[in-house]
Amino acid sequence: MTAVDLNGATVVVTGASGGFGRATAIALAKSGAHVVGVARHRGGLEELQRELGDALNCETGDVADPEPPARPPRPTRSLGTWST
């Protein structure tokens, strides 16, 4: 398996408030990526934000919702181009 350099990459992680999503967000942030964590519930995201600090931007939303948001999430506007 080839290693991927994630230092400075912007990565979106859904389900970031708990379980596999949370673990993935932490691992990616420790690898140098800037993580955009998305979850339905804000509480878990706020806890993760305290742990990861500036390496994480939080957005609440349901990726299973067929209706697109009225405007792009804050990280989309502030971070520019997506890496992953």
Side-chain angles (χ1 to χ4, degrees):
M1 189 160 145
T2 304
V4 176
D5 181 13
L6 295 173
N7 194 36
T10 299
V11 183
V12 177
V13 177
T14 60
S17 63
F20 288 117
R22 179 182 171 81
T24 300
I26 291 169
L28 289 167
K30 288 182 178 181
S31 295
H34 184 88
V35 178
V36 177
V38 181
R40 291 176 292 166
H41 306 287
R42 188 90 185 150
L45 288 174
E46 289 172 351
E47 182 181 322
L48 188 60
Q49 179 77 63
R50 286 189 293 275
E51 185 173 339
L52 298 180
D54 290 341
L56 178 74
N57 278 61
C58 300
E59 285 295 323
T60 53
D62 187 349
V63 296
D65 186 348
E67 291 297 316
R71 60 187 175 95
R74 195 172 47 255
T76 302
R77 295 188 308 269
S78 64
L79 297 175
T81 305
W82 296 103
S83 303
T84 307

